[in-house]
Amino acid sequence: TSTFLSQKPKSELVRTSLRLLTSSAYRLQSECKKTLPVETCPTTDIQLVTQQVIQCAYDIAKAAKQLVTITTKENNN
């Protein structure tokens, strides 16, 4: 674990971004599990699962970008 993530962030924006990153990662894992043969049932809508995976990946990228932007600004101050 990096030092940045092991410390309690002071900025509410950082905390919000980290919450989005964490929740999106858990959602991504959950959605991806639905595609595994053991988890898949005949009624699984793979197109819907694919859309959910894409949305989770987008949310992860968004949160990561927010963190980079915030930390870059903080480091420049």
Side-chain angles (χ1 to χ4, degrees), residues 20-21 23-25 27-29 31-32 49-65:
L20 177 60
L21 188 60
S23 64
S24 297
R27 279 185 46 227
L28 180 62
Q29 182 182 31
E31 293 298 332
C32 286
V49 171
T50 301
Q51 290 171 352
Q52 293 298 322
V53 167
I54 291 167
Q55 184 62 52
C56 292
Y58 173 82
D59 290 341
I60 289 170
K62 179 180 172 183
K65 182 180 179 191

Side-chain angles (χ1 to χ4, degrees), residues 39-75:
E39 301 269 337
T40 305
C41 66
T43 60
T44 300
D45 184 346
I46 295 300
Q47 187 174 11
L48 178 61
V49 171
T50 301
Q51 290 171 352
Q52 293 298 322
V53 167
I54 291 167
Q55 184 62 52
C56 292
Y58 173 82
D59 290 341
I60 289 170
K62 179 180 172 183
K65 182 180 179 191
Q66 288 172 350
L67 286 172
V68 168
T69 301
I70 293 164
T71 55
T72 300
K73 284 180 183 176
E74 288 179 357
N75 289 337

Side-chain angles (χ1 to χ4, degrees), residues 4-49:
F4 176 76
L5 293 177
S6 62
Q7 298 173 358
K8 185 174 180 179
K10 296 174 187 169
S11 166
E12 183 59 35
L13 289 173
V14 171
R15 287 195 294 271
T16 300
S17 296
L18 288 173
R19 279 193 295 270
L20 177 60
L21 188 60
T22 304
S23 64
S24 297
Y26 282 119
R27 279 185 46 227
L28 180 62
Q29 182 182 31
S30 173
E31 293 298 332
C32 286
K33 280 184 178 179
K34 293 177 185 177
T35 65
L36 298 175
V38 176
E39 301 269 337
T40 305
C41 66
T43 60
T44 300
D45 184 346
I46 295 300
Q47 187 174 11
L48 178 61
V49 171

